[in-house]
Amino acid sequence: VGNVWLWWVDVRSVSEAVVQAWAATLDASERDRAARFRFATDRAAYVAAHALARVLLSRVCGRPTNAWRFVAGPYGKPRVHASMGVEIDFNLSHTRGLAAVAACAGADVGVDVEGTIRRHGLGVAEYHFAPAEVDALRRLQPAPRQEAFLQLWTLKEAWSKATGRGLTSRLDAAVFVLEPFSVDLSAAGEDASAWQFHRCAPTAEHVLALAVRRSGREIPLERVVAREVRHQELVMV
Ligand SMILES: CC(C)(COP(=O)(O)OP(=O)(O)OC[C@H]1O[C@@H](n2cnc3c(N)ncnc32)[C@H](O)[C@@H]1OP(=O)(O)O)[C@@H](O)C(=O)NCCC(=O)NCCS
């Protein structure tokens, strides 16, 4: 097991020409989906995430970016096709303005990004979160409550994406305490000691959570901020 790789790109700083160059690295079905986005900003984030996934996998596994073939798991999690002959899990997430990808050989990974602009009321938490989490949110003032809500939401999504079940899993089965950080996965029948979670704010307007399910000890995290594509090469910050 090597590192957990976490790459992201602030799509707001990427020109349309760069998005076009990135789009050229996608396969036909990805390009089809990209073409169906109504807003250019959403399309850019989708294209960035999918291109970034290929570049990251290529960097880690030493294959050409356009060689990657994917297959969907039982609940839709894309995985590397067996014909590629590499054992690596990856996951991607995109929201307006930001794309992120995580990958690890030897562990399951899930990543989620959300914008902080969108406001969420307690109703969503009451529906999806565990009672203890809702109580913790209630005790906070509106601004920190909003921040805590997004952290909980992204952590839960990252967890559900690492397992591959996505939103078919009960999000209240993963119970998080933010400060000091702890997690209880017993309601999901999971051993929390096999998991590691990371949180960060890639930009002032985005939050990100990463979940890793491993069989051994803590895996070091390598973060890379991708800035731009020139001649289909990523330029690192
Ligand atoms: C996956 C899911 C959590 C996405 O969350 P989101 O915040 O809307 O979107 P994100 O940008 O964070 O993630 C989307 C990416 O997650 C990946 N993904 C899709 N299904 C996934 C799953 N079950 N587990 C992990 N990752 C998944 C894909 O790469 C997807 O990218 P794409 O939509 O550009 O192809 C949610 O949509 C979901 O659970 N969907 C599948 C559940 C389902 O009902 N499946 C039925 C098909 S059998």
Side-chain angles (χ1 to χ4, degrees):
V1 180
N3 293 324
V4 183
W5 296 94
L6 173 63
W7 288 22
W8 70 74
V9 61
D10 183 341
V11 184
R12 299 169 302 183
S13 65
V14 173
S15 69
E16 184 54 35
V18 165
V19 174
Q20 300 274 330
W22 249 337
T25 68
L26 307 187
D27 66 27
S29 70
E30 289 171 316
R31 283 201 299 269
D32 258 16
R33 278 196 58 200
R36 289 203 295 269
F37 281 92
R38 216 170 122 204
F39 297 106
T41 47
D42 297 329
R43 181 170 63 250
Y46 171 92
V47 166
H50 286 254
L52 202 58
R54 286 169 185 275
V55 181
L56 168 52
L57 289 168
S58 295
R59 282 285 163 87
V60 177
C61 305
R63 299 280 199 288
T65 44
N66 58 3
W68 292 98
R69 300 283 171 270
F70 304 108
V71 60
Y75 303 98
K77 181 175 183 174
R79 299 188 192 274
V80 173
H81 197 279
S83 64
M84 296 294 300
V86 293
E87 280 294 320
I88 189 161
D89 192 43
F90 80 102
N91 195 232
L92 62 83
S93 182
H94 46 89
T95 191
R96 206 163 267 200
L98 193 80
V101 182
C104 187
D108 298 320
V109 291
V111 65
D112 189 52
V113 293
E114 301 287 341
T116 54
I117 305 294
R118 238 174 78 196
R119 300 274 138 200
H120 306 267
L122 268 181
V124 177
E126 277 161 359
Y127 188 76
H128 288 288
F129 292 6
E133 293 170 327
V134 178
D135 284 350
L137 288 176
R138 269 190 219 291
R139 286 196 292 273
L140 296 172
Q141 295 297 314
R145 179 189 293 167
Q146 196 62 32
E147 199 179 310
F149 172 89
L150 277 176
Q151 291 207 13
L152 289 169
W153 180 263
T154 50
L155 283 164
K156 286 167 182 290
E157 281 234 37
W159 166 73
S160 75
K161 292 176 78 182
T163 65
R165 299 189 65 98
L167 292 180
T168 62
S169 39
R170 291 181 53 107
L171 293 183
D172 60 355
V175 187
F176 293 91
V177 176
L178 294 177
E179 290 303 335
F181 185 84
S182 68
V183 57
D184 180 354
L185 300 174
S186 50
E190 289 263 359
D191 173 8
S193 69
W195 286 82
Q196 63 192 67
F197 293 90
H198 304 269
R199 296 170 279 170
C200 63
T203 78
E205 289 81 31
H206 296 94
V207 290
L208 178 154
L210 169 68
V212 182
R213 177 168 57 186
R214 47 173 164 63
S215 48
R217 55 195 152 88
E218 177 105 2
I219 306 173
L221 174 65
E222 279 289 333
R223 293 180 207 196
V224 173
V225 184
R227 197 174 55 196
E228 217 183 293
V229 178
R230 276 194 211 120
H231 310 299
Q232 301 187 8
E233 270 295 309
L234 279 169
V235 179
M236 307 306 169
V237 168

